[in-house]
Structures are given as C-alpha cells and as structure tokens.
Amino acid sequence: MQRVIRALAACGGPARTGLDPSCGTGAFLVALREAGVSEVSGADLDPRAVLVARVAAPEADVQVADA
C-alpha cells in the first residue's frame, strides 16, 4: 500500500485511472482500488498470474500482454 500512496502522491492530483504494466498476481491493482482509484488495468506475460489477478481484482481490466 505504501507504493500506491507514493505513486498517487506523485500524480499531483487525484488519480482516476491506474496502470500496472507488469501486474503479476494483481497486488498493486488491488491496492489502487483500495486507495480509491476507480479505473485500474494491468498486463503481464504470465497467463497464470493474469488469472490470479483477475480473481484478486475482478473490476480491473487485466490482459496477457507485453507492456
């Protein structure tokens, strides 16, 4: 959660969207949602990790992709 707080502070204003280009199992995506970011998305090369991320953060748009 500390990484998310620092990332959001660096935005200089309220963040409505968040992206994790190497989301793995989705921990950062979950933390973004918990911090109030309304639209989150992520990508990862590992299809199994993406499946876990989709369960962990069902409201996120998570794709198997090379960011």
Side-chain angles (χ1 to χ4, degrees), residues 17-41:
T17 62
L19 169 66
D20 186 352
S22 56
C23 69
T25 57
F28 194 74
L29 300 176
V30 170
L32 283 170
R33 290 290 294 153
E34 289 175 354
V37 178
S38 59
E39 186 178 328
V40 296
S41 58

Side-chain angles (χ1 to χ4, degrees), residues 1-9 20 22-23 27-29 31-32:
M1 188 65 156
Q2 282 291 29
R3 294 183 327 178
V4 169
I5 292 169
R6 284 189 295 240
L8 293 176
D20 186 352
S22 56
C23 69
F28 194 74
L29 300 176
L32 283 170

Side-chain angles (χ1 to χ4, degrees), residues 39-60:
E39 186 178 328
V40 296
S41 58
D44 202 278
L45 291 173
D46 184 348
R48 290 184 184 167
V50 168
L51 289 175
V52 174
R54 287 178 179 159
V55 171
E59 67 286 337

